[in-house]
Each structure stands twice: as C-alpha cells, then as structure tokens.
Amino acid sequence: MAPFSLFNKTSDINGFYAMLIVNRLQILYFILILPMYLVHPYMILGIVIIGIFSQINLILFSKWFTSNFSGQGYSAFVQLFGERKFRFFVLFGLIPMLLKIIVLTLNYVEAIHQFIFPSMNMLWLVLAILLISFYVSSKGMENTIHFVVIAFLFSFWVILCFIPFFFPPFASLSDLYPLIPTSWSMNSWKSLLFLWSSFSGPEYLICISPWFKRGQTIFKYLTYGNLVSVVEFLISFISSLLFFGSNYLSKTNYPIVTMARYLQSPIIERIDMILLSLHMFHFVFIISFLILSFYGGIRIVFKRVHKQTTRIGFLACCAVIFTSIAVVNQWFWEPGIKDNLWLSLEIWSSSVTFLLVPALLLAAIKLKGRSLE
Amino acid sequence: MKHLKPVLLIVILSSNIFFTGCSPFVDNNEIEEIAPVTFWSINPGAGGKLEISTLGPPLVKEHKRLLSLKVDLLKQGGKDFNLKYYRELKSGQLRMVLINEELAKKGIMPIINTLLTDPDISQRLYLVIVKGNFDEYIKNQVKSQPNLDYFLYRMLRHYEKKKQGEMSIINLHQFKKLLYSPFSDPILPVFKAQQTNFIYHGTAIFKDDYLKGIAHGVDDQIFQLVNNDYYLKFLPIPKYSVVLGNIRSKVHKKMNENDSKLSIRIDVNGRIEEYRGAKDIQNSIELEKFNKEIETYLEKQTLDLFKNLQQLQADPFKIGTLTLGPISKPMSEKEWLKHWKTLKVNVDYNIKIHPLTSVHE
C-alpha cells in the first residue's frame, strides 16, 4: 500500500487562499441564524464596528505571519513555548476545535432536518456529512486547502439571491429605523458577543501557516477576506430586516432559509432546498479542515509529530469525532431552542480563541525576541 | 480495476442497509397514489370545531368531488382525509386558503401560524376571506367547471402579478409581516360566494388577527389608490355618472412635529372614460367645476374611511411608520394606538383629468 501522508507539503499556497479560507471560516454556519440574534436595526452599526475590531485583531495576527516563526510550523512553536508547554496549549486547543465540529455539524443538520428531511433520523444526516468530510480530509491537507475554491464558488453567490429584497415592494425604509440604539440591554451585549464570535475563525490559519508562501504580505488577503465577510453579513442582515421587519424577525427560525423559500423560479419550487444543499460544500470544507487540524493536534499531544501519519490513527480520530457528535445528539441536544447551551458554549469558546490566539502568539514572539537580544 | 473493491463494498453495505428496512426515507411520493391539495376552505363548525374542505383529486382525469370534514385542528384534518380517501393528500402544492368571514372574526392566528411553520407550504400562499358558503358554490360548479380550483388560483395570481389595482391580493408572508409590525395591520381580499358566482367584494380590515370590517365599493377603490397598488384601471363614480380610467396616484403622507396631525395629499392622474351626466364637459370652466366636485367627493369618502379605521383602531395604511425616524426612539404599540385614535387627519386630493375629447374655452 502507498504510504498514507496527510500533511505533506509539495508546493506553496498563495495568499489568495488565505483570503478565501478566512472568509469561509467567518461566514460558516452563523450566516443562517445571524439575523435572528441581531434583530434590532441598529445592529447594522454593530456589524460594522465589530468588523473593524476584527480587522484590528487581524493586524495583530498578521504580525505572526511576517515573523520568522510562521513558516516553520511545529518546530517554531516548540522554540517559542518549549515542548511541554506547547503540548499543553494544543491539548487546550483541541477542546474548542472539537466543540466547533460538534456544534456546527449538529446545527446544520438540524436545519436540513427541519427543511428537507423532517422524517429522517438526524444521525443519518450527520453520518452522510461526516463521511464526505472524512473523504475530503483523507486526501490530505493540501488538497483540502485547495477545496476551498470549490466551497467558495458554490456558496458565495447565494447571498446575491437576496438582493431583490432591497427593492420595493418588499423594502420600506421604515423597517430600518431606528438606526441608533435608543435602549441598551443585556441582550444587546449578547448580540455583540455573537457578532464577535461570527467573525472568529481566522485564528485557525496557524494550523496551516507552514503552507503559505514565505515573505508574502498575507495581511492584504486577510483584510480582503474580512471585508467580504462584513459585506456578506450586512447584505444578509439588512435584507432580512427589510423582508421580515424587526419584530417579526425575532420570532423566526432560520430567517435566511425562510427568505430563500420565498424566492421563486419557473423551474423549481423549493429553491431553499437547493441553496441549503449547496451550503454543504462550505460545511464539508470547514469540517474536513477542522478534522485534519484535530488529527494534527492529537499527534502533537501524543508526541507523534515526526512519525508517518497512519490510516489507523486517522480513522480513530474520525471515529472519536463521530461518536462525540452522536453522543451529544442523542443525550445532550435540545433542538430548536434559541439560547441553546451548546451554541452559547461555541459562541464563548470561539470568541475567546479569536481574541487570545493572536495576542498570545504576539506576546510569545516579543518575549522570545527580548530573551534573544 | 483499482476502484472495484471499494465500490463493491459500498454497494453491498448500502443495499444491506436499505433492504433490511433501515431506510431513512419514509415519505412516499408515488404520483399515482397521492393527491396534492391546492386549496383548503375553512369554515366554522358547530361547537368550536373547524369544517375544512378541498377538491380532490386535482388535475387528474378522474371524477372530482368535494371532500369535507369536521375537525378540531387543521392538521388533524389532513390526517383524517387520508383515512377517508384512497389517495394520500400532500400539502406541498397548497396555493390558496379560503377562510370564512365568521371564523375570521374570531381570530385566525392559529391557522396562519400552522400554515407558516410548515416548510412544505409555500410562503406565497394566497389568503382569501369568503362571505357566504364557498362549499355550496364549489359543489354547484364542479360539474360544469372541473378545473375550478386551478382557475381561481390563476385569477388571484393574475391580479397580484402586475398590481393592477382591481383587487387587494395578499399572500401569507405579506399578511404575517403586516400582522407582526407594531405600526400596521393586515388586510385581505374578500370574496362573496353565491350559488353560481364567486365575486370580489372588497378589502377585509383586520385589527391584529381579528376581522373588524370590510371596505367595499368606493372605499375599496380608495384602498387601492392610497395604499396597495397606486393604480386603478377604472374608477366608476355613479353619483356623478362618470367613469375615470387609467388612474395613477401618488400619495404624500406627512405627520406634523408632535405626531398629532396627519396630512395626506393624493395626486391623481387619469382620464374620463365614460360620462353620462348632464354637464357639458367640453367646456373648460364646466370641466374645472366637475373636477372640483370629484375632488371634494373623494376627499369626503377618504376622510370617512379614515375615521372608520380610527374607530376600529386598525391601521392598514401603515400610518404608524411615519412616526419612526432614524434617530428617534420609536413609540410602543400601545402608545401609537392611543395616538391613532385621536389623530387629526387632513385629506387633500389633486385630480388631473384628461378629457378624451377637445375642450373649448
């Protein structure tokens, strides 16, 4: 049998891929539910402000990419933190990664379950999506990174379908009033936290930093990716405000899918089914990317970094992921609740990782630099 | 040959799963065995029950008949029909829901919610209020017009599509959006069902989800001009023996600073299609006078309509949205309703009629 290698690097990847990956990681699942968490029209400003904060965070993050450490991968981290400490960090990093895989898969499957296969057991759907993701990730990290182009091409234009909602007879300006917050509550803070967690995701680029071309200004691409996400969030939120009105929006489940249901074409009646299925490319990309990162992390924790990747190890990883999703789905999942415990866990964990990872790396570089002097 | 093994494995595995009855799919959509429902007609039954009926099977060359049932719940009806009828009813093609006037007076929120939350049912479903007995009408007509349900759907679609202003056509989503907005109330079209006729009657005015009144005749025409379509193909005014045609309106609504007075200016552009009165409308002075008369007439009618709406506390014209601003704190729904009840309204029509004949000084 040919050797099974997942993390081989045969060629550099372009900064352009960084842009696509950042954008896809940010948009992800939250685009489907974002409007119903923001609800108030003044959150349009919120999206812009949090987008700027995320940009500031990306500036910090890009410092890591321009430092000498980024290209070396594992050995650079060991240099920065020391082996034991680094393994400890990775062990901690595995938790939000697994949480992200679980929450995203289950939430997406729930949407499919609600709109396309209401009578189907959810576990079948989980299995179907995971099998595809396992297949993609078994092709190796490099191919998975390249897969982002397909994921992007299959999903980014969906947002353009909602442009008609910006015009009469759907739209009236009064649905966007008031633009400035007139009252502030705990929920508004929660919405901002939700927004911040929707902008999270770029921190996972550290898992693939050795693949990027050396000496390239990756910052530019990160900025573009972030900008595209801001625009996509704005389009989806404003169009759903115009479509539902703020009051009705707060009572709607999956507003974006409901809007897709309203679209009509002379050929197919259920456009939402097609769009929701196309969204699967996006999911498969993110989940297979996370699976590979998870497997890589496990290898670091068990001190197997320098050995060849094995089929058994990879399959074991997949099995762990599938079982944990199945367990959560079977015993701990409450479907359809807006303030779902798992979703809030995911919101908190991704907000924290997005905030801490760039800062931590930058601090480590600064400290290292000082001790070398 | 290299791929043969895994492919075989997958085929064997999946056939194992499917043939042992572990199929994840339970929906059976074999076309010969199902009957897609195109409309539900919902009437109040005795003792708080609902009486729902539909025509089946649609669009198949088979003898059609009216199926009706008395049920407690709408979806229960769907189930009970399956037990009674040899085809399975599917709601994926539901296009119209006709609700009886008496039922609508008691509130239609539960029905609307049931329809809305079903992902199989299109959001573009037409809602219609029926005055009279629709079932009787269908029973009488189905022999002479077997595809009646389809024609009804086409009629609603026809008047919705280009917004011709003949009828107020509202679909499920529009109704729901109006219902949930604190500054507007929904409307629906009303049809009158007789033994052999199904006639457009006017616009139903709702307060929340309760039917409160029906705008009929001239009031309905004003509805089209002020709110719905801003267009009317014909506006007959029998009082002045005139029919105006191809009327376009432009509505300027303005609320004063402290939201206590509303002024509406309606610019109307149209032409005289028919005149049977005694006036010499070829004379420009007479025509001017005539114009003024129509203006005052419409102003009075509109004002009456507004007064009526204020009394019902219903706001189908979305007047409440005028109080909103980009930086001001919006009123609560209760505050607005209080305001609306006592709001002073000023209506001003500006009519420009083009006579189709030459006019002399």
Side-chain angles (χ1 to χ4, degrees):
Chain A
M1 250 194 227
F4 181 66
S5 51
L6 291 176
F7 300 110
N8 267 7
K9 183 184 168 187
T10 53
S11 63
D12 283 329
I13 54 169
N14 205 317
F16 181 69
Y17 284 97
M19 174 187 122
L20 297 185
I21 294 173
V22 164
N23 171 247
R24 287 300 92 182
L25 277 167
Q26 287 183 330
I27 294 298
L28 206 56
Y29 165 68
F30 286 159
I31 190 98
L32 293 182
I33 51 169
L34 180 92
M36 74 179 189
Y37 279 85
L38 300 185
V39 173
H40 301 290
Y42 56 74
M43 280 297 162
I44 296 169
L45 273 182
I47 293 178
V48 175
I49 290 168
I50 298 291
I52 292 169
F53 275 117
S54 143
Q55 182 60 33
I56 293 170
N57 206 26
L58 288 178
I59 293 174
L60 297 182
F61 194 43
S62 67
K63 290 254 163 60
W64 154 260
F65 276 99
T66 47
S67 75
N68 291 327
F69 295 101
S70 78
Q72 298 163 26
Y74 176 69
S75 57
F77 287 111
V78 172
Q79 244 182 58
L80 273 178
F81 299 106
E83 211 210 319
R84 284 183 71 88
K85 224 194 253 169
F86 177 54
R87 274 173 45 211
F88 184 69
F89 276 140
V90 171
L91 189 63
F92 253 102
L94 288 179
I95 299 168
M97 237 185 252
L98 189 61
L99 188 69
K100 211 179 178 80
I101 297 177
I102 293 175
V103 173
L104 290 183
T105 318
L106 282 180
N107 271 317
Y108 178 60
V109 162
E110 206 178 289
I112 293 195
H113 186 254
Q114 185 175 338
F115 287 101
I116 307 183
F117 298 117
S119 54
M120 207 168 184
N121 189 340
M122 267 173 61
L123 223 49
W124 282 109
L125 296 168
V126 172
L127 188 69
I129 290 180
L130 280 186
L131 279 181
I132 303 169
S133 309
F134 292 155
Y135 174 74
V136 171
S137 51
S138 75
K139 293 287 161 191
M141 188 56 111
E142 216 165 75
N143 286 325
T144 307
I145 294 171
H146 288 197
F147 185 66
V148 74
V149 178
I150 297 176
F152 186 79
L153 285 181
F154 269 99
S155 54
F156 90 100
W157 52 267
V158 169
I159 204 82
L160 300 180
C161 295
F162 300 132
I163 297 290
F165 296 137
F166 280 86
F167 300 100
F170 300 103
S172 73
L173 208 54
S174 59
D175 282 329
L176 298 182
Y177 292 152
L179 279 170
I180 285 174
T182 50
S183 61
W184 197 260
S185 67
M186 199 58 209
N187 270 332
S188 320
W189 287 115
K190 270 192 191 158
S191 310
L192 286 185
L193 179 74
F194 184 84
L195 262 176
W196 175 253
S197 80
S198 345
F199 275 103
S200 77
E203 72 268 24
Y204 286 95
L205 283 187
I206 55 165
C207 305
I208 50 168
S209 60
W211 272 273
F212 287 111
K213 220 186 231 165
R214 299 300 317 280
Q216 203 180 18
T217 49
I218 221 162
F219 174 63
K220 191 174 72 180
Y221 293 105
L222 295 183
T223 309
Y224 290 154
N226 195 46
L227 198 69
V228 174
S229 308
V230 171
V231 171
E232 274 185 66
F233 282 139
L234 279 178
I235 291 180
S236 70
F237 182 50
I238 296 177
S239 59
S240 57
L241 267 181
L242 292 171
F243 184 70
F244 292 105
S246 163
N247 204 13
Y248 184 13
L249 185 59
S250 64
K251 296 179 173 64
T252 315
N253 226 357
Y254 299 109
I256 295 291
V257 189
T258 312
M259 278 157 72
R261 274 172 66 193
Y262 199 73
L263 296 172
Q264 57 180 357
S265 91
I267 309 162
I268 334 155
E269 213 157 288
R270 292 290 298 274
I271 295 184
D272 54 318
M273 281 188 178
I274 309 256
L275 295 186
L276 201 57
S277 314
L278 280 178
H279 206 62
M280 197 155 90
F281 281 93
H282 189 168
F283 262 83
V284 164
F285 161 69
I286 303 275
I287 288 169
S288 40
F289 172 71
L290 286 175
I291 287 170
L292 278 173
S293 309
F294 185 75
Y295 178 49
I298 292 265
R299 275 158 45 83
I300 290 172
V301 172
F302 287 103
K303 288 196 194 170
R304 290 187 169 265
V305 192
H306 300 295
K307 291 184 184 153
Q308 176 70 32
T309 49
T310 59
R311 282 191 173 78
I312 300 285
F314 178 68
L315 282 178
C317 243
C318 296
V320 166
I321 288 169
F322 177 66
T323 4
S324 40
I325 293 179
V327 166
V328 171
N329 178 40
Q330 211 70 15
W331 287 296
F332 304 106
W333 191 260
E334 296 165 74
I337 294 171
K338 203 172 161 190
D339 282 319
N340 189 319
L341 169 74
W342 290 91
L343 194 63
S344 20
L345 268 181
E346 162 62 16
I347 288 171
W348 276 104
S349 89
S350 58
S351 311
V352 169
T353 53
F354 188 38
L355 192 68
L356 285 190
V357 169
L360 202 71
L361 286 176
L362 207 65
I365 292 173
K366 282 273 146 67
L367 280 176
K368 195 77 194 170
R370 207 170 293 162
S371 67
L372 281 179
E373 270 167 19
Chain B
M1 284 312 275
K2 205 175 117 194
H3 294 297
L4 197 64
K5 244 187 191 171
V7 167
L8 253 172
L9 203 72
I10 290 172
V11 168
I12 292 172
L13 250 176
S14 49
S15 53
N16 257 343
I17 291 170
F18 281 99
F19 288 117
T20 48
C22 288
S23 161
F25 305 101
V26 288
D27 271 337
N28 184 356
N29 282 329
E30 212 148 317
I31 196 76
E32 287 83 3
E33 296 159 10
I34 60 169
V37 181
T38 49
F39 76 90
W40 285 121
S41 148
I42 309 173
N43 292 301
K49 288 199 171 202
L50 297 175
E51 202 181 316
I52 65 175
S53 41
T54 186
L55 206 59
L59 295 182
V60 190
K61 277 185 188 158
E62 203 175 307
H63 187 65
K64 284 196 177 195
R65 58 184 177 138
L66 188 77
L67 308 162
S68 23
L69 264 182
K70 280 194 178 64
V71 285
D72 296 300
L73 301 160
L74 186 62
K75 287 275 163 126
Q76 184 199 1
K79 185 179 168 63
D80 288 358
F81 272 125
N82 290 340
L83 303 179
K84 180 182 169 189
Y85 186 52
Y86 50 87
R87 286 169 188 271
E88 186 186 350
L89 298 188
K90 296 268 179 182
S91 55
Q93 290 292 324
L94 191 65
R95 302 300 173 98
M96 298 171 283
V97 167
L98 305 114
I99 301 168
N100 190 281
E101 189 196 6
E102 296 306 315
L103 192 64
K105 279 180 186 161
K106 293 176 200 149
I108 51 172
M109 187 77 111
I111 296 174
I112 298 294
N113 278 343
T114 313
L115 295 171
L116 197 79
T117 46
D118 188 342
D120 281 344
I121 294 174
S122 164
Q123 307 255 308
R124 290 180 184 265
L125 176 84
Y126 296 119
L127 294 173
V128 172
I129 298 288
V130 180
K131 234 174 136 75
N133 196 338
F134 182 72
D135 291 3
E136 278 297 309
Y137 164 70
I138 285 276
K139 254 187 219 159
N140 279 327
Q141 289 298 302
V142 76
K143 287 191 191 91
S144 54
Q145 274 180 299
N147 288 335
L148 189 64
D149 46 349
Y150 178 68
F151 296 138
L152 278 180
Y153 165 69
R154 288 310 292 225
M155 173 186 78
L156 293 174
R157 215 172 95 93
H158 177 81
Y159 289 107
E160 181 200 38
K161 212 170 179 188
K162 293 278 179 196
K163 298 189 134 291
Q164 311 184 41
E166 309 276 11
M167 300 177 185
S168 327
I169 307 288
I170 296 284
N171 65 30
L172 187 57
H173 169 74
Q174 290 163 333
F175 182 83
K176 201 72 182 179
K177 188 182 175 187
L178 289 170
L179 178 62
Y180 270 128
S181 159
F183 301 107
S184 62
D185 285 304
I187 52 172
L188 283 182
V190 182
F191 282 81
K192 214 174 180 173
Q194 294 166 342
Q195 286 283 333
T196 48
N197 287 315
F198 193 62
I199 317 157
Y200 178 73
H201 183 68
T203 304
I205 299 160
F206 281 78
K207 165 78 201 132
D208 295 329
D209 62 319
Y210 299 95
L211 176 70
K212 288 292 179 190
I214 295 171
H216 168 61
V218 185
D219 284 349
D220 183 50
Q221 309 281 307
I222 290 170
F223 246 97
Q224 312 302 337
L225 283 182
V226 178
N227 190 51
N228 295 354
D229 300 337
Y230 308 108
Y231 179 75
L232 271 179
K233 200 155 213 169
F234 298 109
L235 170 62
I237 307 176
K239 195 179 170 192
Y240 295 100
S241 332
V242 70
V243 177
L244 304 182
N246 287 307
I247 295 177
R248 276 192 186 281
S249 66
K250 205 163 176 178
V251 181
H252 311 265
K253 289 182 253 184
K254 217 175 156 189
M255 192 77 101
N256 73 347
E257 287 290 314
N258 56 3
D259 300 333
S260 62
K261 194 179 167 197
L262 169 79
S263 5
I264 305 181
R265 202 183 83 227
I266 304 161
D267 295 336
V268 175
N269 240 324
R271 64 187 195 196
I272 296 178
E273 297 270 343
E274 187 184 348
Y275 184 65
R276 279 180 71 181
K279 280 201 180 64
D280 175 21
I281 55 167
Q282 286 197 323
N283 183 312
S284 71
I285 300 164
E286 287 274 303
L287 185 68
E288 190 62 28
K289 243 193 206 158
F290 185 57
N291 211 350
K292 272 266 137 24
E293 272 173 7
I294 295 176
E295 265 177 28
T296 17
Y297 170 73
L298 282 178
E299 271 160 23
K300 193 184 161 293
Q301 286 292 334
T302 313
L303 211 58
D304 286 350
L305 178 63
F306 266 86
K307 285 229 173 80
N308 219 335
L309 291 174
Q310 279 176 306
Q311 235 157 40
L312 295 173
Q313 294 202 27
D315 177 15
F317 292 141
K318 297 181 230 169
I319 302 295
T321 55
L322 294 177
T323 63
L324 297 173
I327 48 171
S328 58
K329 189 177 159 73
M331 281 189 218
S332 72
E333 191 170 353
K334 260 194 184 148
E335 272 177 84
W336 161 242
L337 279 181
K338 245 195 206 157
H339 240 85
W340 173 228
K341 237 180 141 178
T342 54
L343 193 72
K344 275 192 202 119
V345 184
N346 184 21
V347 182
D348 181 24
Y349 271 87
N350 236 337
I351 302 184
K352 233 186 221 165
I353 306 180
H354 305 269
L356 288 181
T357 51
S358 62
V359 175
H360 310 287
E361 285 289 326

